[in-house]
Amino acid sequence: MTTDSGVPLPGGNSNAPVRYGDRVHRTAGPWTPTVHAYLAHLRSHGADAVPEPFGFDEQGREVLEFLPGAVPAYPLPDLVWSEAFLEDAARLLRRVHDASAGFPRAGGMWQQPAREPDEVVAVNDFAPYNLVVRNGRIAGVIDLDQASPGPRVRDLAHLAYRLAPLTAPGNVDGRTSGPRERGRRLRLLADAYGDVAPAAVLVAAVPLLDEIADHAEAAGRPDHAALYRADAARLAGDAEEVLRAAG
């Protein structure tokens, strides 16, 4: 299916992404100029795995570089559960965070609120469904329009939630495993990112899940809210066992 010679891309939620050759056109928002400046900053500071921004088209849509490859979709493929994918994701997140630390905050408009401590520009949705895979390895990250200043550990908690994973058994988006395995993978993630304790990631995860549940509830998705609350309750209940396994 094509639209105006463009090819609609899967995902994107409300952004309606359409590919035209090597570029993607998506619905923009008032935060888009700030996000484009952020992407350009990342690329100029060593994190070139993000799309290059190209401004706006005649319809007012944002224009971004198309990153070739496959983006994992649910149900997540086995590749996503490999240790190599987990460690690649953590290392890429570290590069993005480090490159963002010097991005000027004054005058910027963000889709999500800024949070304290303001250490980096947090991606706020660094997850498998936003990672581009080529030849079995992570080659890029897309959909950074949720970014806003905040702490490193919040992004790490989200990534651990998706990849350890820290989901309850009833959540089909995760993978059922015991505290020992989740703790082991949490340690792998923390070590690959560097300079962070698994305990700090785990402590940040429960309030993050509660916040996501509140957002889902407000958006009229009570089923999603219930899943996140169940994940948060399960994690709070066995956090000590997970941490013991993480060492």
Side-chain angles (χ1 to χ4, degrees):
M1 177 180 179
T2 60
T3 302
D4 298 329
S5 300
V7 180
L9 297 175
N13 296 322
S14 61
N15 292 320
V18 180
R19 179 185 175 187
Y20 297 85
D22 61 356
R23 299 189 181 184
V24 175
H25 297 229
R26 308 193 318 165
T27 303
W31 49 82
T32 302
T34 300
V35 174
H36 280 203
Y38 158 65
L39 292 175
H41 178 92
L42 292 180
R43 292 179 60 85
S44 67
H45 287 76
D48 58 359
V50 304
E52 183 177 357
F54 294 107
F56 301 86
D57 65 13
E58 66 281 357
Q59 299 178 38
R61 295 176 298 180
E62 67 169 330
V63 182
L64 300 162
E65 175 189 12
F66 173 74
L67 299 184
V71 177
Y74 291 108
L76 294 173
D78 289 343
L79 169 70
V80 169
W81 304 118
S82 70
E83 291 184 8
F85 190 96
L86 176 79
E87 293 173 330
D88 276 357
R91 293 187 188 107
L92 176 56
L93 179 59
R94 179 61 185 258
R95 290 199 299 276
V96 170
H97 278 172
D98 287 354
S100 78
F103 181 72
R105 313 287 205 265
M109 178 179 289
W110 306 97
Q111 186 171 2
Q112 287 208 26
R115 299 175 176 89
E116 295 296 335
D118 177 357
E119 298 173 331
V120 296
V121 176
V123 178
N124 293 322
D125 201 14
F126 195 94
Y129 48 75
N130 284 331
L131 298 176
V132 179
V133 178
R134 285 200 301 271
N135 300 320
R137 304 304 293 264
I138 297 174
V141 55
I142 58 174
D143 290 352
L144 290 94
D145 48 303
Q146 296 282 337
S148 66
R152 293 173 181 265
V153 74
R154 191 173 190 276
D155 273 349
L156 279 164
H158 194 182
L159 186 60
Y161 167 65
R162 297 293 182 184
L163 287 184
L166 303 177
T167 50
N171 190 336
V172 296
D173 289 343
R175 185 180 65 163
T176 301
S177 58
R180 179 174 297 180
E181 174 65 4
R182 284 179 285 134
R184 185 185 73 83
R185 288 176 63 85
L186 178 61
R187 166 56 71 181
L188 287 174
L189 184 148
D191 286 350
Y193 183 90
D195 304 319
V196 64
V201 178
L202 209 59
V203 165
V206 172
L208 170 65
L209 293 176
D210 287 337
E211 179 185 325
I212 296 174
D214 289 344
H215 180 76
E217 197 82 60
R221 308 190 74 174
D223 51 339
H224 283 68
L227 278 176
Y228 288 121
R229 295 196 200 286
D231 291 339
R234 192 270 185 111
L235 181 57
D238 62 10
E240 289 187 10
E241 290 183 78
V242 173
L243 282 180
R244 278 198 298 272

